[in-house]
């Protein structure tokens, strides 16, 4: 269950992501995401990317 403190933490994460990518174009973000291990490990199978990959993101 999501608590109010969780919501604030999530908003902080979203703000960080916004600031990090605000000057990036869509194709640049796409290229960055496709360089991530999560994408490379799941691309051929067209499978959903497990949330656990979030801890290994290199672009943030």
């Amino acid at each position: 269950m999501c608590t109010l403190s969780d919501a604030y933490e999530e908003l902080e994460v979203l703000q960080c992501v916004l600031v990090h990518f605000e000057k990036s174009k869509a194709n640049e973000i796409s290229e960055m995401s496709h360089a991530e291990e999560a994408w490379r490990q799941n691309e051929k199978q067209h499978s959903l990317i497990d949330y656990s990959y979030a801890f290994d993101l290199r672009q943030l």
Side-chain angles (χ1 to χ4, degrees):
M1 181 173 193
C2 183
T3 64
L4 191 56
S5 63
D6 292 336
Y8 284 122
E9 196 171 301
E10 290 177 19
L11 288 173
E12 289 175 13
V13 170
L14 289 173
Q15 183 64 33
C16 178
V17 171
L18 172 66
V19 168
H20 186 80
F21 292 108
E22 69 183 337
K23 294 183 178 159
S24 300
K25 296 180 179 165
N27 65 323
E28 294 170 332
I29 294 171
S30 178
E31 288 175 17
M32 286 185 254
S33 71
H34 292 174
E36 294 287 353
E37 188 67 21
W39 174 263
R40 293 183 290 154
Q41 292 291 322
N42 292 281
E43 176 185 18
K44 290 181 182 171
Q45 302 89 344
H46 299 281
S47 56
L48 295 175
I49 297 174
D50 191 271
Y51 181 79
S52 64
Y53 283 104
F55 300 102
D56 300 322
L57 293 173
R58 294 179 297 156
Q59 297 299 323
L60 289 177

